Amino acid sequence: MGRHRRGARREVTVADLIDELRRFDPGMEVRLAIQPRMPQDHGIGAVAEADGIVWIGDAGPRGYAPDEVRESLGWS
């Protein structure tokens, strides 16, 4: 998600995100992982629409993400 076949970035749509999340248990908690070198764990904040784009807010840092997160996201 987020890249097309040539490796260039592409925009992720609401449908893309929903499709990606369908493989997980709906009761699982969702967090943001940022900063690939030392992944940080951030909470999900408010979700809003502005200028035809859906924005997912950052609810702030909660510490560092476990090492397996970097590997699972392909950041290693």
Side-chain angles (χ1 to χ4, degrees), residues 16-28:
D16 293 334
L17 186 56
I18 290 169
D19 286 343
E20 191 72 23
L21 291 172
R22 279 196 177 125
R23 64 188 171 119
F24 300 103
D25 177 335
M28 291 179 76

Side-chain angles (χ1 to χ4, degrees), residues 41-60:
D41 172 358
H42 282 235
I44 302 289
V47 178
E49 183 272 333
D51 296 324
I53 297 173
V54 175
W55 297 90
I56 300 173
D58 179 355

